[in-house]
Amino acid sequence: MSKSLPKITIAIDGFSSTGKSTVAKQLAKELGYVYVDTGAMYRAITFYALKNKLIDTNNFDKVGLINSLKRIFLQFRYNKELGFAEMFLNEKNIEKEIRSIEVSNFVSPVAAIPEVRKYLVEQQREMGKEKGVVMDGRDIGSVVFPDAELKIFLTADAKIRAERRLLEMQEKNQKADFETIYNNLMERDEIDSNRADSPLVKVKDAIVIDASYINKEEQFNKVLSLAHKAIIGHV
Ligand code: DC
């Protein structure tokens, strides 16, 4: 697409493991936009909470975590070789650690804390203020950028999502089994959709894509075509 076309904001929300980040990353690359994986930011805070023993199976020191926010400095740093930005927490690369099943198990309660959301939403708005951004998460079209020119809501059958996630983890040699992944997805969807602050919802101006029976390429083509239409619509 020509560089003279106006830059828009693209919000991609949806359930866990629907391929949001893969498609968002690819779309940003194709359009020459910035990609922001907001899930990575909630995962980074969760990693910090686990490392500092603020959360485990029996306890969650919410006040301790809220008081620690001022000591949590998050940054995305672009890795040329990998072709995407990696998450840094207080100058340390934690891209691999935040994808573990342990972090996945604790991220939803952390993401339900209003102070954590406020802290991260401010940073997300700052990152997208110049437009030309593809941001994926749960509340991008509803809270972070309610005026986004294009809002996409991704969904897919839960069993298919768990199978895809299992394959992905196996390819990366990460320990995983179907049952654990499926239960984790179900639990996260439940907490993410029912929390009081910024729950996952399909806003009325979002376009729904069901990714159950389409492959990654078809999913990308659908999203790209919607993006082209939205960009042209804003000339
Ligand atoms: O996209 P993901 O699976 O990496 O996100 C991890 C968790 O973070 C997810 O279960 C809910 C939370 N999240 C959120 O509450 N709001 C966002 N904008 C992004 C993620």
Side-chain angles (χ1 to χ4, degrees):
M1 271 211 154
S2 149
K3 288 226 159 52
S4 58
L5 285 170
K7 288 197 181 286
I8 64 165
T9 301
I10 302 177
I12 304 187
D13 289 301
F15 293 103
S16 305
S17 293
T18 42
K20 291 189 302 293
S21 50
T22 307
V23 84
K25 207 183 286 173
Q26 230 180 327
L27 181 66
K29 196 169 179 190
E30 178 73 26
L31 300 174
Y33 279 22
V34 170
Y35 164 59
V36 181
D37 172 2
T38 63
M41 301 171 80
Y42 289 94
R43 285 173 180 272
I45 304 256
T46 307
F47 175 75
Y48 179 96
L50 283 163
K51 268 265 163 232
N52 290 279
K53 309 210 180 312
L54 297 167
I55 193 167
D56 62 31
T57 338
N58 306 311
N59 286 304
F60 185 6
D61 179 3
K62 291 184 189 170
V63 174
L65 181 59
I66 293 165
N67 288 335
S68 300
L69 288 174
K70 52 184 173 295
R71 287 188 289 279
I72 299 180
F73 173 61
L74 302 181
Q75 227 185 358
F76 285 108
R77 289 192 196 160
Y78 191 75
N79 180 326
K80 254 197 214 153
E81 275 156 41
L82 296 173
F84 65 86
E86 295 176 294
M87 173 53 71
F88 280 69
L89 163 69
N90 297 338
E91 305 294 328
K92 189 176 175 286
N93 186 338
I94 54 158
E95 183 58 34
K96 190 157 175 271
E97 290 83 342
I98 60 171
R99 310 292 165 190
S100 68
I101 193 84
E102 198 194 9
V103 168
S104 298
N105 280 338
F106 289 99
V107 65
S108 285
V110 169
I113 300 177
E115 287 83 353
V116 169
R117 304 204 67 82
K118 186 168 176 281
Y119 182 68
L120 294 184
V121 167
E122 260 170 34
Q123 296 177 32
Q124 291 155 7
R125 288 193 177 136
E126 186 63 30
M127 287 183 231
K129 71 174 187 214
E130 309 287 347
K131 293 189 177 276
V133 68
V134 181
M135 198 172 279
D136 82 52
R138 304 293 188 289
D139 59 342
I140 312 305
S142 57
V143 174
V144 183
F145 290 118
D147 296 331
E149 289 84 353
L150 175 60
K151 298 180 187 178
I152 293 171
F153 188 89
L154 282 179
T155 183
D157 176 87
K159 290 218 163 93
I160 296 176
R161 286 191 274 140
E163 262 156 30
R164 287 178 181 163
R165 183 90 189 104
L166 176 65
L167 262 176
E168 233 175 68
M169 292 187 79
Q170 285 170 340
E171 278 165 14
K172 289 184 195 158
N173 290 323
Q174 285 174 323
K175 227 177 75 185
D177 65 90
F178 179 84
E179 192 84 3
T180 313
I181 292 177
Y182 180 77
N183 291 339
N184 172 257
L185 289 188
M186 293 285 84
E187 195 185 317
R188 280 205 285 147
D189 287 352
E190 163 75 20
I191 303 177
D192 297 344
S193 306
N194 294 301
R195 66 180 173 224
D197 187 354
S198 321
L200 168 65
V201 284
K202 188 206 91 58
V203 286
K204 63 175 188 315
D205 51 345
I207 298 162
V208 179
I209 297 180
D210 185 334
S212 305
Y213 303 105
I214 55 174
N215 63 30
K216 280 184 185 172
E217 198 186 335
E218 290 166 323
Q219 194 179 0
F220 174 66
N221 288 336
K222 271 181 194 266
V223 170
L224 182 62
S225 136
L226 290 170
H228 283 164
K229 278 190 204 138
I231 292 170
I232 289 162
H234 286 84
V235 173

